[in-house]
């Protein structure tokens, strides 16, 4: 019998992450590499594990991630949203009015909402999006 899995997509800034949740022992693999080797900072690892920690599933699921684009911070946010969405798919058959429903827990922590902030485009006559050239009186 094949293992049951739940798949979801998360996006943040320029990053896009495909997340597959399978029952397992808590291993997280990003692009074929262990999470602690892939992410340069332990705070980013803690950040992407947050949905699993909030729902007490750190050692219940194996997470396989394929992530593209952006930097480490954007990739972490994309993975976190993907994990949260996959957990919602896993928990969709339970009664959502209960206090221990994953949707209530994750929504109150702000994990279900996609962060819409992206880099603003550069405008002509300026150095960056809003930074103007330095003014010289003389």
């Amino acid at each position: 019998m094949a293992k049951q899995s739940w798949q979801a997509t998360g996006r943040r800034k320029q990053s896009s992450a495909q997340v597959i949740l399978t029952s397992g022992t808590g291993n997280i693999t990003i692009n074929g590499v262990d999470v602690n080797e892939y992410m340069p900072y332990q705070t980013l690892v803690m950040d992407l594990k947050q949905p699993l920690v909030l729902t007490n599933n750190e050692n219940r699921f194996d997470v396989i991630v394929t992530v593209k684009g952006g930097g480490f911070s954007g990739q972490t946010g994309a993975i976190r949203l993907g994990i949260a969405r996959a957990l919602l798919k896993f928990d969709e058959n339970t009664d959502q009015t209960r206090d221990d429903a994953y949707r209530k827990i994750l929504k109150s922590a702000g994990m279900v909402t996609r962060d819409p902030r992206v880099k603003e485009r550069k405008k002509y006559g300026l150095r960056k999006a809003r930074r103007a050239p330095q003014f010289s009186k003389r």
Side-chain angles (χ1 to χ4, degrees), residues 5-11 16-22 27-31 48 51-52 61-68 75-89:
S5 64
W6 298 269
Q7 188 172 359
T9 303
R11 290 185 196 84
S16 180
Q18 293 275 299
V19 176
I20 301 171
L21 225 60
T22 58
N27 296 328
I28 300 176
T29 309
I30 302 173
N31 294 344
L48 74 86
L52 296 169
F61 294 110
D62 284 344
V63 182
I64 302 162
V65 181
T66 305
V67 66
K68 293 178 183 168
Q75 287 184 354
T76 301
I79 294 168
R80 187 175 79 170
L81 180 62
I83 291 172
R85 286 180 173 173
L87 284 170
L88 291 180
K89 283 186 181 180

Side-chain angles (χ1 to χ4, degrees), residues 25-28 49 52-61:
T25 58
N27 296 328
I28 300 176
K49 285 183 179 179
L52 296 169
V53 172
L54 287 171
T55 56
N56 296 322
N57 288 318
E58 301 107 309
N59 300 322
R60 185 174 175 188
F61 294 110

Side-chain angles (χ1 to χ4, degrees), residues 3 5 7 15 18 21 24-25 30 34 41 44 47 59 63 68 74 77 89-90 103 106-107 116 118 123:
K3 275 188 177 180
S5 64
Q7 188 172 359
S15 301
Q18 293 275 299
L21 225 60
T25 58
I30 302 173
D34 184 57
Y41 307 113
L44 294 176
D47 192 30
N59 300 322
V63 182
K68 293 178 183 168
K89 283 186 181 180
F90 164 75
R103 182 156 191 89
L106 293 172
K107 192 149 178 81
V118 293
K123 282 78 169 189

